[in-house]
Amino acid sequence: MQIQREDANGDLYQMSLYSAGVLWGSSPRQRAGRRRLTDAAKREINRQQRKWRLMQLLNANFRGGRDLFVCLTYREVPESEGRALKNFHARMRRAYARLGIEYRYILATETHDMDGEPVRLHHHVILSGAHGHRLAEVVRGAWTCGTADVRTLREGADMFKDTAQYLLKSDAHQPKGARRYETSRNLRPPAEPVRLRLPESECGEVPPGVTILEHEVKANEFGRYETMVGRIYDHTAFDAYWARQRRRAAPDPWERLARRHRRKRE
């Protein structure tokens, strides 16, 4: 048996698949090898999930060329970092409301130097934007504690992978278990993934309408581990595939009953 998980958010497609369970008739050596491979696959998937989760949030809520990437630095050490951010968000919400734009953000705080300079505390913020609005001055006016470097959010060809890694690079400076970033409450959550149990004979399938950007396969005599990251370029073709996968993963009661009858006849 293999466990497969697929995620689709915006144009981002992600898949992970790994062998699990014990093969019928396997020897003690094979069972031990199977457990080692399954444990290694789970560790690797968990290691990637933090980055993948942030990529999913970015792709579900933001667009390159429209939204903003902002760096907020302090003129001097603030008395209260929390109060400074609270005031900034309040000013931004009021300004965006006047412009008719929904204010959404992802914010990561860092305390290390920037480019070798002793900047200390600073914040990286992904902000919602809108075509046709000059928002740089709005952001600078809302941040009264120092400098606001405002740039257009760039997606590139990696589905915000570099952006997610950049925001998460503060991991080394955070206590274990501490939250690496904060978000506004109105962010759309990532779409519900599709989870399937597949036979050993199946491999990861490249869905129609998807161009694969990253593909990794590790396999030995005990099983396999596979991941894919891709861009959805044809949503019509992909949506038909996704609907089929959802039916396979969670069929309605009538479909489950029909499958049970078919198995009995077989």
Side-chain angles (χ1 to χ4, degrees), residues 249-261:
D252 61 61
W254 292 109
E255 176 62 20
R256 287 199 295 269
L257 183 61
R259 290 183 182 183
R260 193 175 303 125
H261 287 318

Side-chain angles (χ1 to χ4, degrees), residues 16-213:
S16 62
L17 180 149
Y18 65 92
S19 297
V22 177
L23 289 175
W24 178 258
S26 58
S27 67
R29 183 187 70 85
Q30 290 171 324
R31 288 196 294 271
R34 180 81 160 187
R35 284 193 295 269
R36 286 195 300 271
L37 184 136
T38 299
D39 290 344
K42 288 180 179 178
R43 286 195 299 271
E44 178 61 19
I45 289 170
N46 290 337
R47 187 186 67 81
Q48 293 198 46
Q49 274 304 315
R50 187 180 299 142
K51 176 184 68 180
W52 281 20
R53 170 75 180 184
L54 185 50
M55 288 175 66
Q56 290 161 13
L57 277 175
L58 287 165
N59 280 275
N61 291 276
F62 300 98
R63 293 289 177 269
R66 179 196 68 188
D67 297 314
L68 307 177
F69 187 94
V70 178
C71 181
L72 304 176
T73 56
Y74 290 89
R75 192 176 301 108
E76 56 189 31
V77 178
E79 293 183 5
S80 172
E81 168 201 340
R83 188 181 304 119
L85 288 174
K86 183 178 179 180
N87 292 337
F88 171 73
H89 291 316
R91 295 186 189 103
M92 289 294 294
R93 289 190 184 95
R94 289 194 295 268
Y96 269 45
R98 289 193 295 269
L99 295 172
I101 306 171
E102 184 182 16
Y103 180 61
R104 291 175 285 115
Y105 68 85
I106 296 176
L107 182 147
T109 298
E110 298 184 1
T111 56
H112 59 83
D113 297 346
M114 293 177 59
D115 301 324
E117 297 295 325
V119 174
R120 297 184 63 188
L121 182 70
H122 58 282
H123 311 286
H124 295 294
V125 196
I126 308 296
L127 290 175
S128 53
H131 291 297
H133 287 275
R134 303 172 71 88
L135 297 175
E137 291 307 314
V138 173
V139 177
R140 295 188 184 105
W143 182 247
T144 60
C145 300
T147 302
D149 180 18
V150 184
R151 305 182 186 186
T152 302
L153 179 63
R154 300 299 179 189
E155 180 182 350
D158 61 359
M159 306 303 298
F160 292 125
K161 175 184 174 182
D162 284 350
T163 301
Q165 290 177 328
Y166 188 76
L167 292 179
L168 291 172
K169 73 178 185 295
S170 59
D171 281 7
H173 307 275
Q174 296 275 6
K176 186 176 182 180
R179 190 174 183 181
R180 270 60 181 185
Y181 56 89
E182 60 184 79
T183 70
S184 57
R185 294 182 179 179
N186 58 343
L187 284 192
R188 290 184 292 274
E192 189 68 22
V194 168
R195 295 181 176 88
L196 290 169
R197 294 173 180 265
L198 301 178
E200 288 291 318
S201 57
E202 289 198 29
C203 298
E205 174 188 355
V206 179
V210 173
T211 298
I212 297 301
L213 305 176

